[in-house]
Amino acid sequence: MTSSVSRNLAVSIERWPIAGAFTISRGAKTEAVTVVATVSQGNQTGRGECVPYPRYGETAEATLEALQAMHEALAGGLDRAALQAAMPAGAARNALDCALLDLEAKTAGQRVWTLLGRKAPRPCTTAFTISLGTPEAMASATAKAAHRPLLKIKLGGDGDEMRIAAVRQAAPESELIVDANEAWTPDNLEYNLAACANAGVTLVEQPLPAGRDEALARIERPIAVCADESVHDRASLEGLRARYDAVNIKLDKTGGLTEALAMADAAEALGFEIMIGCMVATSLAMAPAMLLAQQAKFVDLDGPLLLARDRDGGLRYDGSLVYPPEAVLWG
């Protein structure tokens, strides 16, 4: 995108209360802290939202500073292609990449998928997350969501076989996927995978810590295993082929939709199944991922459903069915 009109960048930190608490093996939180980049050019404005993730050494303040440091480059004509080399993959680049895409679409008067040569996204079924807790607490939460066709169950190590059994009893008809968030060990890996298989779980995300997941290549996996913390962008794919059956693509890891789309194509070529995931955030963060959802076997874009409130003009959710964004929101 080139123009004689200068581009301006505004960056802000936003806090969105979570409905109750969101708990995984690394801890609990009661609010989603996001960073929003807004790029304006003439009378058009593009937005992108990211979630800095402490697991990767990111903070909202550092992400804000990294984006603010791009003011001069943007004013000088930095485009999306140059952005990929100008910033590392991560939350900050995601916000700016998505803001530039939104701006390109609005300036061209077209939807972003048309600009990118992609098929128009269709409504898709998203997973709904059940937070980590005691088997009793998780069963209670699951019972309230048992009408949903796809549930994502957060596990956390000791006692996981009781948690997944309790969840399955509470939701006998739902498809279950499990996210251990690196909480298992090589010693309990096979036992926990067997417990999940016995409960009819379809997929297990990131059972072992990233960088210490070699055991996955040495065992016969009874169900599909998906890389999350072990995979970030295209460069991390090749080394995972013996350990994982699927990869979870998240815009905050890839550094934006530009890399995420290329990564999805590369992952498919290598034989991986695709999962599209998210952090807990508003519909502005989910909207770009809807383009990826069309290639995914598993879609996990329930971030807004976990909030006490979403931003105005957010995505439409009809139960677990999520619809593509309106142009006023993004793209």
Side-chain angles (χ1 to χ4, degrees):
M1 181 176 64
T2 58
S3 172
S4 60
V5 181
S6 178
R7 285 176 295 178
N8 296 310
L9 172 65
V11 189
S12 61
I13 296 174
E14 299 182 351
R15 299 180 183 274
W16 297 87
I18 292 173
F22 180 76
T23 304
I24 64 173
S25 62
R26 284 187 287 271
K29 60 181 181 180
T30 57
E31 66 176 5
V33 181
T34 72
V35 178
V36 175
T38 302
V39 181
S40 300
Q41 185 171 29
N43 61 355
Q44 301 292 345
T45 297
R47 299 184 299 167
E49 177 179 298
C50 71
V51 180
Y53 198 27
R55 169 64 179 81
Y56 305 132
E58 297 175 333
T59 66
E61 293 73 21
T63 299
L64 186 80
E65 291 176 5
L67 285 166
Q68 289 173 334
M70 300 304 294
H71 274 286
E72 186 174 342
L74 279 171
L78 179 81
D79 61 13
R80 251 190 324 115
L83 175 65
Q84 308 309 306
M87 298 184 80
R93 194 178 79 188
N94 175 32
L96 190 50
D97 181 75
C98 290
L100 288 172
L101 272 167
D102 189 27
L103 180 62
E104 288 176 38
K106 288 179 168 60
T107 300
Q110 295 181 315
R111 296 312 303 266
V112 69
W113 44 86
T114 302
L115 286 177
L116 296 175
R118 298 271 171 165
K119 293 181 180 179
R122 302 179 305 275
C124 56
T125 298
T126 179
F128 181 80
T129 302
I130 304 297
S131 285
L132 177 66
T134 65
E136 296 77 15
M138 293 181 71
S140 176
T142 300
K144 298 173 184 176
H147 62 285
R148 295 183 180 273
L150 179 61
L151 298 177
K152 177 174 175 174
I153 313 304
K154 292 289 188 179
L155 296 182
D158 292 342
D160 276 349
E161 75 282 3
M162 292 182 287
R163 293 185 179 98
I164 196 62
V167 163
R168 171 50 80 198
Q169 186 174 7
E173 302 299 326
S174 300
E175 181 178 4
L176 302 182
I177 56 179
V178 155
D179 188 358
N181 282 117
E182 306 179 280
W184 295 355
T185 69
D187 291 336
N188 64 26
L189 174 64
E190 291 182 273
Y191 178 81
N192 283 333
L193 284 175
C196 288
N198 289 338
V201 171
T202 303
L203 182 79
V204 173
E205 277 188 78
Q206 198 67 44
L208 299 178
R212 290 180 285 159
D213 52 5
E214 301 87 355
L216 287 167
R218 300 195 297 265
I219 67 169
E220 184 174 341
R221 302 186 290 272
I223 52 179
V225 177
C226 179
D228 185 355
E229 286 84 354
S230 287
V231 66
H232 293 261
D233 53 13
R234 279 175 290 175
S236 59
L237 284 172
E238 183 64 37
L240 302 178
R241 296 177 73 180
R243 304 175 190 180
Y244 294 96
D245 309 289
V247 291
N248 188 343
I249 300 175
K250 295 177 180 175
L251 301 190
D252 283 313
K253 293 189 300 179
T254 65
L257 183 61
T258 301
E259 172 64 19
L261 289 169
M263 180 181 173
D265 293 341
E268 283 187 329
L270 290 172
F272 289 109
E273 292 181 339
I274 305 296
M275 178 177 184
I276 302 306
C278 69
M279 307 299 186
V280 183
T282 79
S283 285
L284 181 58
M286 307 299 121
M290 284 296 295
L291 274 72
L292 287 160
Q294 311 309 303
Q295 291 177 256
K297 182 173 182 179
F298 301 98
V299 175
D300 178 25
L301 297 177
D302 66 342
L305 297 178
L306 305 175
L307 298 176
R309 61 179 179 87
D310 193 9
R311 67 175 67 247
D312 293 340
L315 293 176
R316 174 188 167 195
Y317 287 87
D318 183 3
S320 291
L321 197 64
V322 54
Y323 288 77
E326 299 293 335
V328 68
L329 173 67
W330 185 86

